Amino acid sequence: MWSTPTGRGVRRVAVGVDVGRSAELGRLVAQAAPAILVLTHDDLDHIDGWRGFAPLGLAILQELWIPYEWAALLDSYDALSRGRSRVDPEIDIHGMAERLRSDFAPARRFPAESTPWSRAPEDDGASEDIDEGQLARAIWRISRDMNEFAKRQDPLVPPEFAEGEPEKIAGRVKASVDNLGTILSDATSHGVTIRLFSGDHVPGADAYYPWMESAGHYLVSIANAIEVEPIQFSTPSIADVAFRALATIQNQRALCPVLWHHGWLEGGAIVWSDSTGAWVDRTPGIGHLLNLVSISTAPHHGSDKRHHEPAWEALAPFLRRTDTVMVCAGGQWNQGVAAPYVDHPASRRACTRCRHVSAAQQRAVPGRSRTVSVVTDGRNTRLVVGDQCPS
Protein backbone atom coordinates (compact mmCIF):
# COMPACT_ATOMS: atom_id res chain seq x y z
CA MET A 1 0.00 0.00 0.00
CA TRP A 2 1.13 3.55 -0.77
CA SER A 3 -0.45 6.56 0.93
CA THR A 4 0.48 10.15 0.10
CA PRO A 5 -0.99 13.60 0.77
CA THR A 6 -2.52 15.64 -2.02
CA GLY A 7 -2.79 19.38 -2.36
CA ARG A 8 -1.47 20.90 0.83
CA GLY A 9 -1.82 17.73 2.82
CA VAL A 10 -5.54 18.21 3.38
CA ARG A 11 -6.41 14.80 1.95
CA ARG A 12 -4.47 11.57 1.63
CA VAL A 13 -4.86 9.22 -1.32
CA ALA A 14 -3.95 5.54 -1.15
CA VAL A 15 -2.75 3.35 -4.01
CA GLY A 16 -2.70 -0.44 -3.72
CA VAL A 17 -0.49 -2.89 -5.59
CA ASP A 18 -1.90 -6.46 -5.65
CA VAL A 19 -4.08 -8.03 -2.96
CA GLY A 20 -2.05 -11.04 -1.83
CA ARG A 21 -3.04 -14.69 -1.65
CA SER A 22 -5.45 -14.74 1.30
CA ALA A 23 -8.77 -13.10 2.04
CA GLU A 24 -7.17 -11.63 5.15
CA LEU A 25 -4.54 -9.81 3.09
CA GLY A 26 -7.21 -8.61 0.70
CA ARG A 27 -9.18 -7.15 3.62
CA LEU A 28 -6.06 -5.36 4.88
CA VAL A 29 -5.65 -3.72 1.47
CA ALA A 30 -9.33 -2.74 1.48
CA GLN A 31 -9.03 -1.20 4.95
CA ALA A 32 -6.43 1.20 3.58
CA ALA A 33 -9.16 2.47 1.19
CA PRO A 34 -7.17 2.68 -2.06
CA ALA A 35 -8.55 4.95 -4.77
CA ILE A 36 -6.40 3.11 -7.33
CA LEU A 37 -5.51 -0.60 -7.31
CA VAL A 38 -2.89 -2.08 -9.65
CA LEU A 39 -3.02 -5.85 -10.22
CA THR A 40 0.34 -6.68 -11.75
CA HIS A 41 -0.27 -10.23 -13.03
CA ASP A 42 -2.46 -13.25 -12.41
CA ASP A 43 -0.41 -15.40 -10.01
CA LEU A 44 -2.64 -16.41 -7.12
CA ASP A 45 -0.30 -14.97 -4.49
CA HIS A 46 -1.00 -11.58 -6.07
CA ILE A 47 -4.74 -11.72 -6.87
CA ASP A 48 -6.44 -14.43 -4.78
CA GLY A 49 -6.97 -11.95 -1.94
CA TRP A 50 -9.60 -10.27 -4.15
CA ARG A 51 -12.30 -12.26 -2.34
CA GLY A 52 -11.37 -10.42 0.85
CA PHE A 53 -10.82 -7.06 -0.85
CA ALA A 54 -14.03 -6.81 -2.87
CA PRO A 55 -16.70 -6.61 -0.12
CA LEU A 56 -14.98 -3.62 1.52
CA GLY A 57 -12.72 -2.08 -1.11
CA LEU A 58 -15.06 -1.70 -4.06
CA ALA A 59 -17.14 0.91 -2.27
CA ILE A 60 -14.14 3.28 -2.40
CA LEU A 61 -12.06 2.07 -5.35
CA GLN A 62 -12.12 4.42 -8.34
CA GLU A 63 -9.71 2.77 -10.80
CA LEU A 64 -8.43 -0.76 -11.40
CA TRP A 65 -5.23 -1.08 -13.48
CA ILE A 66 -4.55 -4.46 -15.12
CA PRO A 67 -2.44 -6.05 -17.89
CA TYR A 68 -4.14 -5.77 -21.27
CA GLU A 69 -3.70 -9.50 -21.94
CA TRP A 70 -6.46 -10.14 -19.41
CA ALA A 71 -9.01 -8.37 -21.60
CA ALA A 72 -7.78 -10.19 -24.71
CA LEU A 73 -7.91 -13.60 -23.03
CA LEU A 74 -11.38 -13.11 -21.58
CA ASP A 75 -12.88 -11.85 -24.83
CA SER A 76 -11.32 -14.59 -27.00
CA TYR A 77 -12.28 -17.31 -24.51
CA ASP A 78 -15.85 -16.03 -24.42
CA ALA A 79 -16.03 -15.86 -28.23
CA LEU A 80 -14.71 -19.41 -28.56
CA SER A 81 -17.16 -20.73 -25.98
CA ARG A 82 -20.02 -19.13 -27.97
CA GLY A 83 -18.94 -20.83 -31.15
CA ARG A 84 -17.45 -17.74 -32.80
CA SER A 85 -14.05 -18.93 -33.96
CA ARG A 86 -11.91 -19.63 -36.95
CA VAL A 87 -9.59 -22.50 -37.81
CA ASP A 88 -5.87 -21.94 -38.15
CA PRO A 89 -4.15 -24.46 -40.43
CA GLU A 90 -0.90 -24.16 -38.46
CA ILE A 91 0.62 -22.53 -35.40
CA ASP A 92 1.91 -19.06 -36.30
CA ILE A 93 3.51 -17.32 -33.31
CA HIS A 94 4.06 -14.05 -35.16
CA GLY A 95 0.48 -14.00 -36.46
CA MET A 96 -1.01 -14.62 -33.03
CA ALA A 97 1.20 -11.96 -31.44
CA GLU A 98 0.20 -9.45 -34.11
CA ARG A 99 -3.51 -10.18 -33.65
CA LEU A 100 -3.12 -9.63 -29.91
CA ARG A 101 -1.40 -6.27 -30.42
CA SER A 102 -3.65 -5.07 -33.24
CA ASP A 103 -6.80 -5.45 -31.13
CA PHE A 104 -5.54 -2.56 -28.94
CA ALA A 105 -4.10 0.92 -29.41
CA PRO A 106 -2.59 3.59 -27.12
CA ALA A 107 -5.47 4.84 -25.04
CA ARG A 108 -7.53 7.82 -24.37
CA ARG A 109 -8.92 7.25 -20.91
CA PHE A 110 -12.42 5.82 -21.03
CA PRO A 111 -15.12 5.51 -18.34
CA ALA A 112 -16.24 2.25 -16.80
CA GLU A 113 -19.48 2.13 -18.76
CA SER A 114 -17.59 1.90 -22.06
CA THR A 115 -15.21 -0.91 -21.06
CA PRO A 116 -15.73 -4.25 -22.79
CA TRP A 117 -16.56 -6.01 -19.50
CA SER A 118 -19.59 -3.87 -18.74
CA ARG A 119 -21.42 -4.74 -21.92
CA ALA A 120 -24.71 -6.58 -21.54
CA PRO A 121 -24.33 -10.35 -22.05
CA GLU A 122 -24.88 -11.35 -25.63
CA ASP A 123 -27.83 -13.61 -26.37
CA ASP A 124 -26.59 -15.04 -29.66
CA GLY A 125 -26.19 -18.52 -28.31
CA ALA A 126 -25.55 -20.39 -25.07
CA SER A 127 -22.02 -20.68 -23.78
CA GLU A 128 -20.45 -24.11 -24.23
CA ASP A 129 -17.42 -25.70 -22.63
CA ILE A 130 -14.24 -25.45 -24.66
CA ASP A 131 -12.70 -28.84 -25.44
CA GLU A 132 -9.94 -29.24 -22.84
CA GLY A 133 -7.94 -31.64 -24.98
CA GLN A 134 -7.82 -29.24 -27.94
CA LEU A 135 -6.89 -26.32 -25.70
CA ALA A 136 -4.16 -28.28 -23.92
CA ARG A 137 -2.65 -29.49 -27.20
CA ALA A 138 -2.65 -25.95 -28.60
CA ILE A 139 -0.96 -24.62 -25.46
CA TRP A 140 1.67 -27.35 -25.57
CA ARG A 141 2.48 -26.70 -29.25
CA ILE A 142 2.61 -22.93 -28.81
CA SER A 143 4.75 -23.07 -25.68
CA ARG A 144 7.14 -25.44 -27.42
CA ASP A 145 7.42 -23.12 -30.42
CA MET A 146 7.76 -20.04 -28.20
CA ASN A 147 10.61 -21.65 -26.31
CA GLU A 148 12.31 -22.54 -29.56
CA PHE A 149 11.71 -19.00 -30.80
CA ALA A 150 13.45 -17.65 -27.68
CA LYS A 151 16.32 -20.13 -28.26
CA ARG A 152 15.81 -21.24 -24.66
CA GLN A 153 17.93 -18.35 -23.39
CA ASP A 154 15.01 -16.91 -21.48
CA PRO A 155 11.99 -19.19 -21.91
CA LEU A 156 8.73 -17.36 -22.33
CA VAL A 157 6.70 -20.09 -20.67
CA PRO A 158 7.28 -21.65 -17.24
CA PRO A 159 8.36 -25.28 -17.78
CA GLU A 160 5.83 -26.65 -15.29
CA PHE A 161 3.08 -25.04 -17.36
CA ALA A 162 4.35 -26.02 -20.78
CA GLU A 163 5.16 -29.60 -19.79
CA GLY A 164 2.22 -30.34 -17.51
CA GLU A 165 -0.51 -32.89 -18.10
CA PRO A 166 -2.99 -31.68 -20.75
CA GLU A 167 -6.00 -31.73 -18.43
CA LYS A 168 -4.16 -29.73 -15.76
CA ILE A 169 -2.99 -27.20 -18.34
CA ALA A 170 -6.52 -26.64 -19.63
CA GLY A 171 -7.80 -26.49 -16.06
CA ARG A 172 -5.24 -23.80 -15.23
CA VAL A 173 -6.49 -21.70 -18.15
CA LYS A 174 -10.13 -22.11 -17.14
CA ALA A 175 -9.33 -21.23 -13.52
CA SER A 176 -7.48 -18.12 -14.70
CA VAL A 177 -10.43 -17.08 -16.87
CA ASP A 178 -12.82 -17.58 -13.93
CA ASN A 179 -10.61 -15.57 -11.53
CA LEU A 180 -10.05 -12.68 -13.91
CA GLY A 181 -13.68 -12.66 -15.00
CA THR A 182 -14.83 -12.41 -11.37
CA ILE A 183 -12.47 -9.51 -10.67
CA LEU A 184 -13.53 -7.50 -13.70
CA SER A 185 -17.23 -8.26 -13.25
CA ASP A 186 -17.08 -7.15 -9.61
CA ALA A 187 -15.23 -3.95 -10.52
CA THR A 188 -17.45 -2.87 -13.40
CA SER A 189 -20.64 -3.62 -11.48
CA HIS A 190 -19.45 -1.05 -8.92
CA GLY A 191 -18.64 1.59 -11.55
CA VAL A 192 -14.86 1.21 -11.20
CA THR A 193 -12.88 2.49 -14.19
CA ILE A 194 -10.79 -0.28 -15.77
CA ARG A 195 -7.46 0.79 -17.27
CA LEU A 196 -5.40 -1.57 -19.41
CA PHE A 197 -1.59 -1.46 -19.68
CA SER A 198 0.66 -3.03 -22.29
CA GLY A 199 4.40 -3.46 -22.60
CA ASP A 200 3.91 -4.57 -26.21
CA HIS A 201 2.80 -1.09 -27.28
CA VAL A 202 5.64 0.93 -25.74
CA PRO A 203 7.22 3.05 -28.53
CA GLY A 204 10.86 2.35 -29.31
CA ALA A 205 11.84 6.02 -29.32
CA ASP A 206 14.92 6.77 -27.21
CA ALA A 207 13.31 9.80 -25.60
CA TYR A 208 10.07 8.03 -24.66
CA TYR A 209 9.73 7.21 -20.94
CA PRO A 210 6.71 4.93 -20.24
CA TRP A 211 6.83 5.75 -16.53
CA MET A 212 6.07 9.41 -17.28
CA GLU A 213 2.90 8.46 -19.16
CA SER A 214 -0.53 7.41 -17.95
CA ALA A 215 0.07 8.72 -14.44
CA GLY A 216 -2.93 8.26 -12.17
CA HIS A 217 -3.50 11.62 -10.54
CA TYR A 218 0.30 11.99 -10.62
CA LEU A 219 0.49 9.37 -7.88
CA VAL A 220 1.25 6.19 -9.83
CA SER A 221 2.53 5.22 -13.26
CA ILE A 222 3.83 2.03 -14.86
CA ALA A 223 7.55 1.66 -15.55
CA ASN A 224 7.29 -0.95 -18.29
CA ALA A 225 3.93 -0.35 -19.98
CA ILE A 226 1.61 2.29 -21.42
CA GLU A 227 -2.15 2.54 -21.29
CA VAL A 228 -4.08 0.98 -24.17
CA GLU A 229 -7.72 0.41 -25.03
CA PRO A 230 -9.48 -2.15 -27.23
CA ILE A 231 -10.27 -0.97 -30.74
CA GLN A 232 -11.57 -4.30 -32.02
CA PHE A 233 -11.70 -7.94 -31.03
CA SER A 234 -10.69 -10.23 -33.86
CA THR A 235 -12.33 -13.63 -34.26
CA PRO A 236 -10.11 -16.04 -32.33
CA SER A 237 -8.98 -19.59 -32.95
CA ILE A 238 -8.33 -22.00 -30.13
CA ALA A 239 -4.64 -21.31 -30.73
CA ASP A 240 -5.27 -17.59 -30.06
CA VAL A 241 -6.86 -18.46 -26.72
CA ALA A 242 -3.88 -20.65 -25.89
CA PHE A 243 -1.41 -17.92 -26.88
CA ARG A 244 -3.21 -15.28 -24.81
CA ALA A 245 -3.39 -17.62 -21.84
CA LEU A 246 0.38 -18.14 -22.05
CA ALA A 247 0.92 -14.38 -22.28
CA THR A 248 -1.24 -13.87 -19.19
CA ILE A 249 0.77 -16.24 -16.98
CA GLN A 250 4.24 -14.95 -17.91
CA ASN A 251 5.86 -13.37 -14.87
CA GLN A 252 8.24 -11.40 -17.06
CA ARG A 253 5.23 -9.46 -18.38
CA ALA A 254 4.12 -8.35 -14.89
CA LEU A 255 3.40 -4.64 -14.56
CA CYS A 256 5.94 -2.65 -12.52
CA PRO A 257 4.19 0.30 -10.84
CA VAL A 258 6.02 3.48 -9.83
CA LEU A 259 4.53 5.26 -6.82
CA TRP A 260 5.26 8.96 -6.52
CA HIS A 261 5.46 11.11 -3.42
CA HIS A 262 2.88 13.92 -3.36
CA GLY A 263 2.71 13.90 -7.15
CA TRP A 264 6.39 14.83 -7.49
CA LEU A 265 8.66 12.87 -9.81
CA GLU A 266 11.05 12.17 -6.97
CA GLY A 267 11.25 10.31 -3.70
CA GLY A 268 8.92 7.56 -4.85
CA ALA A 269 9.00 3.77 -5.04
CA ILE A 270 9.22 1.15 -7.77
CA VAL A 271 7.44 -2.17 -7.33
CA TRP A 272 9.05 -4.89 -9.44
CA SER A 273 6.37 -7.47 -8.67
CA ASP A 274 7.39 -10.81 -10.26
CA SER A 275 9.03 -9.16 -13.26
CA THR A 276 12.37 -10.55 -14.39
CA GLY A 277 13.46 -7.11 -15.56
CA ALA A 278 13.71 -8.36 -19.16
CA TRP A 279 12.09 -5.07 -20.20
CA VAL A 280 14.91 -2.94 -18.76
CA ASP A 281 17.18 -3.05 -21.81
CA ARG A 282 14.44 -1.81 -24.14
CA THR A 283 13.09 0.89 -21.82
CA PRO A 284 14.72 4.32 -22.22
CA GLY A 285 15.51 6.29 -19.10
CA ILE A 286 15.52 3.40 -16.64
CA GLY A 287 18.66 4.78 -15.03
CA HIS A 288 17.01 8.18 -14.63
CA LEU A 289 13.93 6.55 -13.09
CA LEU A 290 15.97 4.62 -10.52
CA ASN A 291 17.78 7.81 -9.64
CA LEU A 292 14.45 9.50 -8.85
CA VAL A 293 13.00 6.82 -6.57
CA SER A 294 14.27 6.09 -3.07
CA ILE A 295 12.34 2.88 -2.37
CA SER A 296 12.36 -0.39 -4.30
CA THR A 297 10.92 -3.82 -3.75
CA ALA A 298 13.21 -6.78 -4.36
CA PRO A 299 12.37 -8.26 -7.79
CA HIS A 300 10.21 -11.39 -7.61
CA HIS A 301 10.30 -11.57 -3.81
CA GLY A 302 14.09 -11.28 -3.88
CA SER A 303 14.50 -14.43 -5.98
CA ASP A 304 18.06 -15.55 -6.70
CA LYS A 305 17.12 -17.16 -10.04
CA ARG A 306 19.30 -16.14 -12.99
CA HIS A 307 16.28 -14.90 -14.96
CA HIS A 308 16.11 -11.91 -12.60
CA GLU A 309 19.68 -10.75 -13.23
CA PRO A 310 18.57 -7.90 -15.58
CA ALA A 311 16.55 -6.35 -12.76
CA TRP A 312 19.39 -6.63 -10.24
CA GLU A 313 21.89 -5.21 -12.74
CA ALA A 314 19.64 -2.21 -13.34
CA LEU A 315 19.30 -1.75 -9.57
CA ALA A 316 23.08 -1.70 -8.93
CA PRO A 317 23.41 2.14 -8.92
CA PHE A 318 20.28 2.40 -6.74
CA LEU A 319 21.77 0.00 -4.20
CA ARG A 320 25.04 1.95 -4.07
CA ARG A 321 23.25 5.08 -2.92
CA THR A 322 23.06 5.84 0.80
CA ASP A 323 19.51 7.19 0.77
CA THR A 324 17.61 4.15 -0.52
CA VAL A 325 15.51 1.45 1.10
CA MET A 326 14.72 -2.00 -0.28
CA VAL A 327 11.81 -4.18 0.84
CA CYS A 328 11.61 -7.90 0.16
CA ALA A 329 7.94 -8.92 0.26
CA GLY A 330 6.56 -12.44 0.48
CA GLY A 331 8.08 -15.37 -1.36
CA GLN A 332 8.15 -19.10 -0.64
CA TRP A 333 10.12 -20.24 2.38
CA ASN A 334 12.26 -22.55 0.23
CA GLN A 335 12.97 -19.78 -2.31
CA GLY A 336 16.56 -18.51 -2.30
CA VAL A 337 17.29 -14.82 -1.77
CA ALA A 338 19.49 -12.83 -4.16
CA ALA A 339 22.90 -11.72 -2.91
CA PRO A 340 22.39 -8.00 -3.75
CA TYR A 341 19.50 -7.89 -1.28
CA VAL A 342 21.38 -9.71 1.49
CA ASP A 343 24.45 -7.51 0.91
CA HIS A 344 22.44 -4.29 1.20
CA PRO A 345 23.01 -2.62 4.62
CA ALA A 346 20.63 -4.09 7.21
CA SER A 347 19.53 -0.61 8.26
CA ARG A 348 18.23 0.02 4.74
CA ARG A 349 16.41 -3.20 3.96
CA ALA A 350 13.53 -5.13 5.49
CA CYS A 351 11.57 -8.24 4.63
CA THR A 352 8.05 -9.40 5.39
CA ARG A 353 9.42 -12.95 5.48
CA CYS A 354 13.05 -13.27 6.49
CA ARG A 355 13.92 -16.17 4.18
CA HIS A 356 17.64 -15.34 4.10
CA VAL A 357 18.22 -16.39 7.74
CA SER A 358 18.20 -19.73 9.56
CA ALA A 359 15.01 -21.61 10.35
CA ALA A 360 15.48 -20.82 14.04
CA GLN A 361 15.70 -17.09 13.29
CA GLN A 362 12.65 -17.34 11.05
CA ARG A 363 10.65 -18.88 13.89
CA ALA A 364 11.64 -15.95 16.11
CA VAL A 365 9.41 -13.65 14.04
CA PRO A 366 5.80 -13.83 15.34
CA GLY A 367 3.64 -15.46 12.70
CA ARG A 368 6.79 -15.77 10.56
CA SER A 369 5.55 -12.77 8.58
CA ARG A 370 5.27 -9.10 9.43
CA THR A 371 4.28 -5.71 8.11
CA VAL A 372 7.03 -3.38 6.90
CA SER A 373 6.49 0.37 6.64
CA VAL A 374 8.67 2.92 4.87
CA VAL A 375 8.24 6.66 5.37
CA THR A 376 9.50 9.29 2.95
CA ASP A 377 8.97 13.02 2.53
CA GLY A 378 10.36 12.94 -0.99
CA ARG A 379 13.89 13.68 0.20
CA ASN A 380 14.49 11.58 3.29
CA THR A 381 13.48 7.94 3.58
CA ARG A 382 13.46 5.68 6.62
CA LEU A 383 12.29 2.22 7.57
CA VAL A 384 9.62 1.67 10.17
CA VAL A 385 9.31 -2.02 11.14
CA GLY A 386 7.50 -3.68 14.01
CA ASP A 387 10.27 -6.21 14.65
CA GLN A 388 13.95 -6.02 13.91
CA CYS A 389 15.01 -8.14 10.97
CA PRO A 390 17.04 -11.04 12.49
CA SER A 391 20.12 -10.42 10.37
Side-chain angles (χ1 to χ4, degrees):
M1 287 302 307
W2 181 258
S3 179
T4 187
T6 60
R8 296 184 177 179
V10 176
R11 183 173 63 95
R12 299 191 70 85
V13 174
V15 178
V17 178
D18 293 331
V19 288
R21 181 184 291 274
S22 67
E24 180 184 4
L25 285 174
R27 283 191 290 271
L28 287 175
V29 176
Q31 288 167 10
I36 300 172
L37 177 65
V38 183
L39 297 181
T40 60
H41 63 300
D42 88 327
D43 278 0
L44 292 182
D45 59 331
H46 291 256
I47 68 167
D48 215 24
W50 180 263
R51 64 188 188 277
F53 172 86
L56 298 173
L58 285 174
I60 299 172
L61 189 67
Q62 298 174 22
E63 296 184 3
L64 179 65
W65 296 20
I66 61 173
Y68 89 115
E69 306 93 88
W70 292 15
L73 172 61
L74 290 175
D75 190 87
S76 60
Y77 193 94
D78 179 69
L80 203 64
S81 70
R82 293 177 182 276
R84 296 196 306 273
S85 64
R86 65 168 207 285
V87 177
D88 283 337
E90 60 182 21
I91 297 295
D92 176 12
I93 298 295
H94 291 287
M96 288 183 288
E98 181 55 34
R99 280 193 293 277
L100 172 60
R101 284 191 294 269
S102 64
D103 282 353
F104 297 81
R108 302 168 301 278
R109 191 183 302 190
F110 50 95
E113 59 265 25
S114 68
T115 63
W117 308 282
S118 60
R119 294 179 303 193
E122 298 181 29
D123 57 3
D124 56 348
S127 177
E128 299 179 357
D129 286 338
I130 294 176
D131 185 277
E132 291 190 7
Q134 284 187 331
L135 182 59
R137 286 190 293 275
I139 289 175
W140 184 86
R141 290 178 61 195
I142 293 169
S143 60
R144 178 196 61 192
D145 291 352
M146 289 171 77
N147 280 338
E148 290 296 327
F149 182 72
K151 300 184 183 300
R152 300 192 179 276
Q153 294 176 3
D154 186 13
L156 297 175
V157 182
E160 66 273 14
F161 191 90
E163 299 171 6
E165 297 177 12
E167 294 79 8
K168 290 182 179 180
I169 295 174
R172 167 69 169 84
V173 174
K174 288 191 173 184
S176 181
V177 167
D178 288 343
N179 289 336
L180 304 185
T182 296
I183 290 171
L184 296 177
S185 176
D186 287 348
T188 54
S189 67
H190 283 76
V192 175
T193 297
I194 309 295
R195 298 178 67 179
L196 310 176
F197 289 83
S198 165
D200 296 334
H201 292 78
V202 174
D206 291 340
Y208 188 89
Y209 296 176
W211 45 271
M212 294 187 70
E213 298 291 331
S214 303
H217 313 295
Y218 300 100
L219 300 175
V220 57
S221 57
I222 304 296
N224 59 339
I226 63 170
E227 188 174 5
V228 297
E229 62 182 346
I231 55 175
Q232 63 181 2
F233 279 116
S234 54
T235 302
S237 67
I238 198 162
D240 285 311
V241 173
F243 180 85
R244 294 171 186 202
L246 292 174
T248 298
I249 56 91
Q250 289 178 35
N251 282 347
Q252 69 175 19
R253 295 172 66 89
L255 302 180
C256 296
V258 184
L259 308 166
W260 300 108
H261 172 73
H262 199 175
W264 303 336
L265 292 180
E266 63 176 344
I270 181 170
V271 181
W272 290 86
S273 185
D274 284 2
S275 170
T276 62
W279 54 272
V280 167
D281 288 341
R282 60 178 184 271
T283 302
I286 185 65
H288 182 43
L289 169 61
L290 293 175
N291 190 50
L292 291 174
V293 300
S294 57
I295 305 165
S296 174
T297 62
H300 202 170
H301 314 292
S303 171
D304 62 352
K305 300 297 185 183
R306 67 174 183 84
H307 297 307
H308 302 97
E309 290 176 359
W312 288 110
E313 290 172 1
L315 278 166
F318 172 92
L319 294 172
R320 287 195 293 268
R321 287 164 46 193
T322 60
D323 63 339
T324 60
V325 168
M326 176 162 282
V327 177
C328 184
Q332 302 299 318
W333 286 108
N334 60 353
Q335 184 181 20
V337 181
Y341 174 78
V342 178
D343 293 341
H344 202 51
S347 62
R348 293 193 283 114
R349 61 170 163 80
C351 33
T352 62
R353 288 184 171 186
C354 297
R355 308 186 331 265
H356 60 293
V357 299
S358 68
Q361 289 175 306
Q362 291 174 5
R363 288 193 292 270
V365 178
R368 302 186 75 196
S369 296
R370 61 184 178 171
T371 299
V372 171
S373 299
V374 185
V375 177
T376 181
D377 63 3
R379 296 173 178 82
N380 300 295
T381 302
R382 61 186 177 89
L383 271 170
V384 180
V385 292
D387 301 291
Q388 182 64 37
C389 183
S391 64

